[in-house]
Amino acid sequence: MRRRPAGPELEPGSLVDRSGLAKIANIAEDDLPDPKFDAHKVPEPQAHGAGGPLWSQPVARDWAEQHHRDYGPGALLSATTSFGTPQPQGLVADHNRLTKVIQGDGKQTEEAAKTLAWWPAVSLTVGTDSLVPMSALRTTLIEAVLSHLATNDMKERNGIWLHPLRRDVVKVFDWYVQRKPDHTAGLLSEICLDARTRLDVDPQTVGQLIRRSLHRDSTLGKESIDALLDAALPPSAKSSDR
């Protein structure tokens, strides 16, 4: 006797194929991970049909949410280099700035300056031996937010309102995520987790603090900040009114 699916979401008519998975994630089907090379980047299928793997809609929705957390910030904070390729906004800004510096002496053509500036720009923030210690900067940023939460938690007990993060902390956040946008979700998740485990501060309070602080002082713009946080904050840190 053929075994029936474990639940209604696993009924054949309720499953979605790659096209349905892309639709739920609101991305083009061509932007889904390649099944030949990146099959591990999509969820384990619940079944297989004539056209390939099939997923239940709850699994597809969970994957879509995680996909947007992982890749949404990178798409949002992307820019085009002078070579015509997409890269993080911060890397593009660093490259453009170094190009002007190199070309400033008048000895290099614009094309030569672009080429000479590329690897110095990359070496600033890319790789384990980058000139700016990005891992250490990330840790410092996390500790700055937690220190602010700990200090203000004590103040709140005395009736003082929780103040936004200091402007310099927001400036570091802006600089970091523009160069490491694909690390944004992990950064925010670690902040929320540490705030809960070390300070007993709930994730929603952390999310509200970060959003309010960035609205006040970030140079990214309110719409970009909201899109970034909507994509990258863990679900538990998102306010119900958004």
Side-chain angles (χ1 to χ4, degrees):
M1 180 180 292
R2 186 178 178 182
R3 187 176 179 181
R4 292 183 58 80
E9 70 276 6
L10 296 179
E11 291 287 351
S14 299
L15 300 176
V16 298
D17 57 8
R18 282 180 60 85
S19 175
L21 183 65
K23 184 175 181 180
I24 288 174
N26 195 30
I27 59 176
E29 187 174 349
D30 288 344
D31 290 335
L32 287 173
D34 190 307
K36 293 182 180 179
F37 306 106
D38 298 309
H40 63 285
K41 293 185 179 180
V42 294
E44 187 73 23
Q46 279 69 65
H48 284 82
L54 299 170
W55 296 273
S56 71
Q57 294 189 38
V59 167
R61 286 193 293 270
D62 287 346
W63 178 84
E65 182 174 332
Q66 187 61 47
H67 180 81
H68 282 297
R69 288 196 70 216
D70 292 340
Y71 297 100
L76 178 68
L77 299 180
S78 175
T80 303
T81 69
S82 53
F83 302 123
T85 57
Q87 293 288 347
Q89 284 181 3
L91 176 55
V92 173
D94 293 339
H95 179 231
N96 291 343
R97 186 172 182 178
L98 286 171
T99 297
K100 290 181 180 179
V101 170
I102 292 172
Q103 196 180 9
D105 61 10
K107 297 179 180 179
Q108 303 290 341
T109 65
E110 182 178 358
E111 285 303 314
K114 289 177 186 178
T115 301
L116 289 170
W118 178 247
W119 287 113
V122 170
S123 68
L124 282 173
T125 58
V126 178
T128 56
D129 294 325
S130 60
L131 294 175
V132 178
M134 299 299 284
S135 178
L137 184 64
R138 181 180 186 274
T139 299
T140 302
L141 183 56
I142 292 170
E143 292 300 322
V145 177
L146 293 176
S147 176
H148 179 88
L149 285 166
T151 302
N152 279 271
D153 181 57
M154 293 300 296
K155 289 181 178 180
E156 276 201 305
R157 294 173 188 174
N158 296 320
I160 300 175
W161 182 66
L162 183 65
H163 295 288
L165 296 167
R166 293 179 63 173
R167 184 172 287 108
D168 282 347
V169 175
V170 173
K171 186 174 182 179
V172 173
F173 178 90
D174 278 2
W175 192 92
Y176 182 88
V177 300
Q178 286 183 87
R179 286 154 183 83
K180 295 290 184 182
D182 53 338
H183 292 192
T184 305
L187 170 68
L188 294 176
S189 291
E190 186 167 349
I191 290 173
C192 290
L193 178 61
D194 284 356
R196 167 66 83 183
T197 58
R198 291 164 55 179
L199 303 173
D200 197 28
V201 177
D202 66 275
Q204 193 169 109
T205 296
V206 178
Q208 290 171 345
L209 170 68
I210 291 173
R211 192 182 296 272
R212 187 168 70 247
S213 301
L214 296 181
H215 279 174
R216 189 184 74 164
D217 291 320
S218 175
T219 60
L220 298 177
K222 186 176 183 298
E223 289 187 5
S224 292
I225 286 299
D226 282 338
L228 178 67
L229 296 182
D230 288 347
L233 278 171
S236 59
K238 296 176 183 179
S239 299
S240 57
D241 57 353
R242 284 200 58 78

